[in-house]
Amino acid sequence: MRNKLVVLATVIASCFAYTKLMARVGSGSPPPDAPLEQRADLIRVYKSERRMVLLRGDAPISTYRISLGTAADAGPKQREGDERTPEGRYEIDWRNPKSMAYLSLHISYPNPDDRRNAEAGGFPAGGDIMIHGLPNGWGLFGNVHHLWDWTDGCVAVTNSEMRDIWARVPNHAPIEIMP
């Protein structure tokens, strides 16, 4: 029994160390921008369907299966640490090619209403809500990540999908996150 616990502890520590090392290594080079006619002018996330759609005008140009915050079904994000995914209208306000997950686009949460609501409850609103790929070094798991919601409130896709999204979504593109 003791040997099994030692092996388990070693595996857990190795996975943790690997994840930390890969987070420092980064995502690699981001893809070039897609041609203008292939770029989205709106992102719409349907939390209950675990689906994200890129739109150009009223026409969908790409659809992705997503994973959300571990408490996404409990409603909109209300405060830091609640592991919920926000709901409402935001924008992509910056991008991080060297994030701990494979590429990331920052969602402008919290907006003034989110901040005010969280502070009224005596909590910070939180932040760092992103659209991102899998944690660096874990991309081989691909679509397996859809089996459960595993983020802290972000929207997660596969790494290949994240490359496509990165190329198609310009800075300041609006994003609507629906229940």
Side-chain angles (χ1 to χ4, degrees):
M1 179 65 167
R2 178 178 154 90
N3 287 343
K4 289 181 182 177
L5 288 175
V6 169
V7 169
L8 180 62
T10 302
V11 168
I12 290 170
S14 297
C15 287
F16 180 76
Y18 176 76
T19 300
K20 290 295 187 185
L21 174 66
M22 294 310 292
R24 291 182 187 267
V25 170
S27 300
S29 300
D33 291 343
L36 282 174
E37 65 276 3
Q38 295 177 15
R39 291 193 206 161
D41 52 27
L42 176 65
I43 305 164
R44 191 167 288 140
V45 173
Y46 300 93
K47 288 174 53 176
S48 63
E49 298 174 24
R50 301 304 191 265
R51 183 170 59 102
M52 181 172 70
V53 180
L54 303 186
L55 296 129
R56 182 164 183 82
D58 292 330
I61 58 173
S62 285
T63 301
Y64 310 91
R65 286 179 49 209
I66 58 173
S67 294
L68 300 170
T70 58
D73 290 330
K77 184 161 195 64
Q78 296 178 343
R79 61 182 178 87
E80 183 175 52
D82 65 7
E83 297 188 343
R84 297 178 184 188
T85 301
E87 295 174 8
R89 188 169 174 98
Y90 303 94
E91 73 172 30
I92 301 302
D93 57 356
W94 54 273
R95 50 187 65 225
N96 186 356
K98 302 218 182 278
S99 69
M100 63 141 323
Y102 188 78
L103 304 173
S104 61
L105 301 177
H106 186 262
I107 298 170
S108 63
Y109 173 89
N111 63 30
D113 288 338
D114 296 322
R115 199 172 272 113
R116 195 170 24 262
N117 291 338
E119 289 170 358
F123 299 102
D128 287 335
I129 303 298
M130 313 283 234
I131 300 171
H132 61 69
L134 300 176
N136 291 325
W138 295 98
L140 61 123
F141 287 102
N143 286 325
V144 172
H145 87 96
H146 292 125
L147 297 177
W148 64 90
D149 289 322
W150 55 272
T151 77
D152 289 333
C154 296
V155 176
V157 295
T158 66
N159 292 355
S160 61
E161 291 170 332
M162 191 61 222
R163 289 185 68 78
D164 184 54
I165 294 163
W166 181 282
R168 291 173 176 252
V169 173
N171 290 333
H172 307 293
I175 177 168
E176 294 175 353
I177 305 174
M178 321 292 277

